[in-house]
Amino acid sequence: GNSVTQMEGPVTLSEEAFLTINCTYTATGYPSLFWYVQYPGEGLQLLLKATKADDKGSNKGFEATYRKETTSFHLEKGSVQVSDSAVYFCALSDQDSGYALNFGKGTSLLVTP
Amino acid sequence: EAGVVQSPRYKIIEKKQPVAFWCNPISGHNTLYWYLQNLGQGPELLIRYENEEAVDDSQLPKDRFSAERLKGVDSTLKIQPAELGDSAVYLCASSLAEGYNEQFFGPGTRLTVL
């Protein structure tokens, strides 16, 4: 079955540091890949997505590239801000699952001034 | 445009009591999902609706959980009786239609079973 593995947190960074959160997946078909973010006290929000191999999703300075050869979708940001502190979830969906999202466990990010 | 609405936001009950959660999806969204999120985990699908039809309820523990979406709009998820292990956040999400890539999530209902 499908599964998503992402790096364990918490991740603590200083403001303006470079961020990478690793995500790898297992899927039988050709999934779409997503990063969702959950800010404290708020619901899950879609951060970015990629629907096919080599696509790059980007939003708010975050980027992730769909790498089929390494089955990865790592999240990166060049310079994090305190306001980026949140929990980040990698997820996939495909036709086999009826497009329901299959999430990783989440990675908590804390950015300090 | 209003987002996905869920109520209540928080619920505390004694074990063996019944509890119900309500979700109103974004207007026009035919597909509705209920997810369960345990502490420190990612959400897991409980049930998926296409309009009023439950097209995937394979992960729903049917001995105590039930759900309905009678008119293909809002939905209710029920637990009867609740157990200690049901303490979690229950998330509702909607999308325009099956296969549409973006799901929009509500704020969730945090259930505590004592």
Side-chain angles (χ1 to χ4, degrees), chain B residues 85-99:
Chain B
D86 296 331
S87 295
V89 177
Y90 292 81
L91 296 168
C92 180
S94 69
S95 65
L96 273 174
E98 179 181 339

Side-chain angles (χ1 to χ4, degrees), chain A residues 29-52:
Chain A
Y30 300 92
S32 295
L33 301 175
F34 306 83
W35 279 99
Y36 276 80
V37 59
Q38 191 169 35
Y39 297 103
E42 299 185 17
L44 279 164
Q45 302 174 26
L46 178 65
L47 180 59
L48 53 85
K49 67 182 182 185
T51 57
K52 61 183 186 297

Side-chain angles (χ1 to χ4, degrees), chain B residues 16-74:
Chain B
K16 301 185 182 180
Q17 294 301 305
V19 65
F21 315 123
W22 178 79
C23 171
N24 193 27
I26 292 173
S27 177
H29 281 198
N30 296 326
T31 307
L32 184 146
Y33 306 81
W34 282 102
Y35 291 87
L36 164 68
Q37 186 176 17
N38 286 305
L39 187 64
Q41 303 292 316
E44 299 173 2
L45 180 71
L46 286 172
I47 189 168
R48 174 171 65 94
Y49 281 93
E50 296 296 333
N51 298 303
E52 67 275 8
E53 182 182 359
V55 295
D56 183 0
D57 63 356
S58 58
Q59 302 303 311
L60 190 72
K62 298 180 186 63
D63 57 336
R64 297 183 301 107
F65 286 66
S66 64
E68 61 184 17
R69 194 185 183 199
L70 294 175
K71 297 182 179 178
V73 180
D74 56 341

